Amino acid sequence: MADAIWSVGMVAKRCGVKVSTLHFYEQQGLIHSWRNAGNQRRYKPEVLRRISVIKAAQKVGVSLEEIKQAFESLPNNRTPTVEDWQQLSKNWQQMLDGRIAYLQKLRDNLAGCIGCGCLSMTNCPLYNPDDKLAESGSGPVLLDQAEQKARAQQEANTS
């Protein structure tokens, strides 16, 4: 099995993804193949683990770019081992905890002023008299500040 050579169709079927998804992952540098004498893609069995890691990470909201960076952090861009998976998932948990904290704060403050005035004209005189938040930047200033505060707090908690 370790020396087995898998066709793109076999990998797609085994992993529950479309062939086009495998091609996309390969274009993104997440998986690797080679071409046989008939110019057909071939994969080593370890690609199944890489795709499983990709799918698991995506299900919890980890972006492909973040997955790629994690893979690139492994020695020789190897397929993650059990120990690697433990470390990757720990890192992603910390990132997800930060996102959750931000989303909870966003949820809790959603009805209030977001600092740009576009959705809170009746509240602006209370939260933003004379549009003083314009000095802090454009867009949803208070939401941006809340996000920065949540991330800083998360970083402090993980240090």
Side-chain angles (χ1 to χ4, degrees), residues 34-112:
W34 74 93
R35 302 286 181 145
N36 67 8
N39 201 30
Q40 297 170 325
R41 281 184 170 90
R42 293 292 184 247
Y43 297 92
K44 292 183 179 179
E46 66 192 32
V47 77
L48 301 177
R49 182 178 300 155
R50 288 182 78 93
I51 294 167
S52 294
V53 168
I54 293 167
K55 288 176 67 174
Q58 283 186 301
K59 281 188 180 199
V60 297
V62 179
S63 72
L64 286 178
E65 184 58 35
E66 291 163 329
I67 297 166
K68 182 178 179 181
Q69 289 172 2
F71 282 169
E72 289 173 348
S73 74
L74 299 174
N76 299 318
N77 202 24
R78 73 172 178 236
T79 296
T81 62
V82 172
E83 293 81 18
D84 294 331
W85 172 247
Q86 294 301 316
Q87 186 59 48
L88 293 175
S89 63
K90 180 180 174 185
N91 294 342
W92 289 333
Q93 278 182 323
Q94 291 172 351
M95 177 196 61
L96 292 170
D97 287 343
R99 287 183 187 169
I100 290 167
Y102 170 68
L103 288 170
Q104 288 173 330
K105 188 154 186 86
L106 177 62
R107 177 202 62 209
D108 295 344
N109 295 312
L110 196 56

Side-chain angles (χ1 to χ4, degrees), residues 120-133:
S120 55
M121 293 304 287
T122 58
N123 291 334
C124 276
L126 299 173
Y127 291 103
N128 190 19
D130 301 320
D131 197 24
K132 291 193 186 285
L133 285 171

